[in-house]
Amino acid sequence: MGTSSQVQNKLINSNRSRRNANDFIFGKLIGEGSFSVVYLAKDIHTSKEYAIKVCEKQLIVREKKQEYVKREREALNILSGSQGFLSLYCTFQDTSKLYFVMTYAKNGTLLQLLEKAKIFDTAAVKFYSAEILLAIEQMHNNNIIHRDLKPENILLDENFHTMIADFGSARIGDTEIDYNSSNDSEKEKSDSDSDEGKKCQKYLKHKRGSFVGTAQYVSPEIIKGKPSNRASDLWSLGCIIYQLVAGVPPFRGPNDYLIFQKITKLELEFSSDFDDGAKDLVSKLLVLDPKNRLGAEDNLPYASIRNHYFFEKMDFPGIRNAIPPIVHSSSSRVDTKDDYENDGFNFPDHITPGLDDKHLTRLMGLELGASPDVAGSSSRVKSLNNIGDIDRISKLEKQKSDPWNQFVEGEMILKQGFVNKRKGALYVPRRRMLLLTAGPRLIYVDPVQMVKKGEIPWSEELRVEAKNFKIFFVHTPHRTYYLEDPQGYALKWCQAIKETYDKKYGK
């Protein structure tokens, strides 16, 4: 068995330099990040399915993510083949893109499973918490601190076992526990709320480049700009266990800054029906001083966590071979396999291998029977931009019944739709109604308060850029607007804006 595995690894390694995008059929988009997208793809030689992460070199450089990509590849190389982790089968590149060929997580993420179930029962919480703990031990044994553990980065294989993913924020090597001195810790405890707020504000203002992790799960030492350590992942484990029990993360707020304040003040609350064992375990993991977290002083494995009474009778050595427990919803018993397993994807026979512009257009939903853009496709925008006066008057009359008409000052709405608008990298996106008018104007409205929040200034220097099927940028001379269309019509937004721009400036 070992010999066969070695032969397979040699074949994979020998093929790395020869692989390219034409060895795969790209079926559908299954995920996206700040500078990459992930596709379900099929090897044309073996018919085996993979998840291929495609990184845009230009975006990597622009967002200064070279180290992120390097860490991701290094961590995956170290952990490939280990239970509980994605395997990296090969990597290759072309003139504009990097490709990571990885395990396909057939059943999505732990977050998706949690969103469908709302909450997990105690058996499911114990099972998945135990698997995550084993993965943390394995990472730490390999001198890797993940630093961004969250349900979204925990994938589920075909049998609903967990696989840890997304190592771009990881710290690799030199992971010996290096806690701050007790004097520093005592000083922190005596800081006033005002001083703590200033620390958070100072960090957000000056330390954004070094920030790693996701707000709801990041440890207080990382927020304060101090070195991360193994106990930083134990903090994230506590956050995940809390979320599996309660259905929501332990620290929540309207923006990251307020979430950071709650974390640094340890504003932690438990509902009356929160499982007692889980509550005790979470309380011992979510401790401000990292050296006082349960397991922080252990030699690996984390015996003090394994031996906590919440994990009583848990068979840690055999858990990867066990059948995951049935997940229950808040209202009824739901069988995981029957109700949550993702439908298989059938690769159409006519799709050719590769990832050129034609394939990207298809994958972004503009061909092969993609759902029409109800808010107005680019062809509709083009026709509206060129209608005669009589038709324009008729359209404007009909538009008066549109609730968004009050914000456009008599101009014809060419395209409208909900988008998530980001103010900056560390801020929670705001849901807005985006209105493209024949003015031309781009107006965004708060759909809850029903008030105009602003508009994107038009000029001849304005340009649009689709980053992927959801995210697009509107570049202006003084600011870039970062927008996300949850329905996946970013390219259509870009086309509509460009056609309106061309009409205005005669391009």
Side-chain angles (χ1 to χ4, degrees), residues 271-339:
S271 63
S272 58
D273 60 348
F274 203 100
D275 179 86
D276 288 339
K279 179 180 178 180
D280 187 78
L281 177 56
V282 168
S283 298
K284 290 176 177 175
L285 290 169
L286 299 184
V287 176
L288 291 179
D289 190 339
K291 73 173 181 293
N292 291 333
R293 288 173 203 153
L294 188 66
E297 300 288 354
D298 292 1
N299 293 319
L300 294 168
Y302 291 115
S304 59
I305 303 177
R306 288 190 181 206
N307 293 331
H308 188 276
Y309 69 90
F310 179 69
F311 288 124
E312 187 178 4
K313 297 181 181 179
M314 175 61 66
D315 178 17
F316 281 94
I319 193 170
R320 297 296 311 185
N321 297 317
I323 298 174
I326 291 171
V327 172
H328 296 256
S329 75
S330 56
S331 58
S332 61
R333 181 180 181 278
V334 184
D335 186 278
T336 305
K337 278 285 184 184
D338 291 343
D339 290 85

Side-chain angles (χ1 to χ4, degrees), residues 151-271:
E152 186 179 352
N153 287 341
I154 300 168
L155 309 183
L156 300 171
D157 68 13
E158 66 275 11
N159 296 313
F160 284 88
H161 285 280
T162 57
M163 296 185 294
I164 307 298
D166 200 348
F167 288 89
S169 299
R171 178 179 165 190
I172 303 173
D174 187 29
T175 61
E176 291 300 316
I177 297 177
D178 181 22
Y179 303 122
N180 294 300
S181 68
S182 57
N183 290 336
D184 289 339
S185 181
E186 290 304 316
K187 181 181 182 300
E188 287 162 22
K189 291 176 183 177
S190 66
D191 283 336
S192 68
D193 287 350
S194 176
D195 288 340
E196 194 61 68
K198 288 177 182 177
K199 285 184 178 181
C200 288
Q201 193 171 28
K202 183 179 179 181
Y203 175 76
L204 287 172
K205 187 175 181 180
H206 299 293
K207 299 277 188 174
R208 288 184 182 179
S210 61
F211 174 77
V212 293
T214 302
Q216 289 90 339
Y217 310 91
V218 72
S219 64
E221 61 270 17
I222 292 179
I223 291 174
K224 295 173 186 176
K226 296 178 180 177
S228 56
N229 50 67
R230 293 175 184 171
S232 302
D233 283 347
L234 299 182
W235 173 278
S236 299
L237 173 64
C239 293
I240 293 168
I241 296 173
Y242 182 104
Q243 187 169 356
L244 295 181
V245 175
V248 293
F251 306 102
R252 306 177 298 281
N255 58 55
D256 289 359
Y257 172 65
L258 294 178
I259 293 172
F260 290 157
Q261 283 195 317
K262 288 189 175 185
I263 291 171
T264 55
K265 295 175 184 176
L266 198 62
E267 294 181 5
L268 183 63
E269 297 178 355
F270 296 91
S271 63

Side-chain angles (χ1 to χ4, degrees), residues 81-96:
S82 301
Q83 286 188 317
F85 299 93
L86 292 177
S87 287
L88 179 64
Y89 293 96
C90 67
T91 61
F92 53 88
Q93 62 180 299
D94 55 31
T95 55
S96 62

Side-chain angles (χ1 to χ4, degrees), residues 118-145:
K118 307 303 181 187
I119 57 174
F120 283 9
D121 63 17
T122 303
V125 175
K126 288 182 179 180
F127 179 88
Y128 285 111
S129 300
E131 285 207 335
I132 296 166
L133 175 60
L134 288 178
I136 291 173
E137 291 175 351
Q138 180 80 350
M139 287 187 292
H140 293 179
N141 266 323
N142 284 279
N143 290 319
I144 297 172
I145 302 171

Side-chain angles (χ1 to χ4, degrees), residues 1-14:
M1 189 76 171
T3 303
S4 174
S5 177
Q6 289 172 359
V7 170
Q8 184 180 12
N9 287 335
K10 286 181 179 178
L11 287 172
I12 290 171
N13 290 331
S14 66

